[in-house]
Amino acid sequence: MNYQLLIESYSFGTSLSEQEIELLSLELETQIMNINISSEFGCLESAPTHICEGLSLKKDTYWIMCLAEILDLHKRPKFGQTKSLEVFDLLLEKELVIG
């Protein structure tokens, strides 16, 4: 299943299974690896407003940040950085966002 469809379903209130959360986790890791190669991937497009609102994120938030936010809600680390912070730092490093 497309990760964007899972994010959209979740933003409308559908809960995610453990398997779906694992799929989203793998998707995020793949996107992080790909950003190091090129910034021309769909994960750097803005998610639709209704998805951003459903996740309580700012309008025009990148898909990759929406994905990280969902994973943080389901798998918050006991130690270290959240996925959202990890992705934000990467985007900052690549000069794709302004801090």
Side-chain angles (χ1 to χ4, degrees):
M1 178 177 253
N2 181 316
Y3 80 94
Q4 292 173 335
L5 292 175
L6 284 174
I7 291 173
E8 185 166 33
S9 293
Y10 181 78
S11 73
F12 285 129
T14 304
S15 59
L16 298 171
S17 70
E18 285 299 316
Q19 183 180 15
E20 289 168 329
I21 293 166
E22 286 306 312
L23 287 171
L24 291 176
S25 185
L26 287 171
E27 178 65 33
L28 180 62
E29 294 309 314
T30 301
Q31 288 184 12
I32 288 171
M33 287 188 317
N34 287 333
I35 283 176
N36 288 322
I37 298 166
S38 172
S39 61
E40 300 299 317
F41 293 99
C43 63
L44 296 176
E45 293 176 6
S46 297
T49 302
H50 67 278
I51 291 176
C52 297
E53 288 174 356
L55 296 173
S56 300
L57 297 171
K58 287 196 263 183
K59 182 182 173 194
D60 296 326
T61 296
Y62 290 144
W63 276 107
I64 193 170
M65 286 299 297
C66 295
L67 180 52
E69 182 67 23
I70 289 174
L71 291 172
D72 287 344
L73 292 170
H74 288 85
K75 297 173 71 172
R76 191 167 275 307
K78 292 180 178 141
F79 303 101
Q81 289 185 332
T82 62
K83 291 294 183 187
S84 296
L85 185 55
E86 178 184 341
V87 169
F88 184 79
D89 286 347
L90 178 63
L91 295 174
L92 208 69
E93 176 187 315
K94 300 288 182 186
E95 298 180 353
L96 297 168
V97 294
I98 297 171

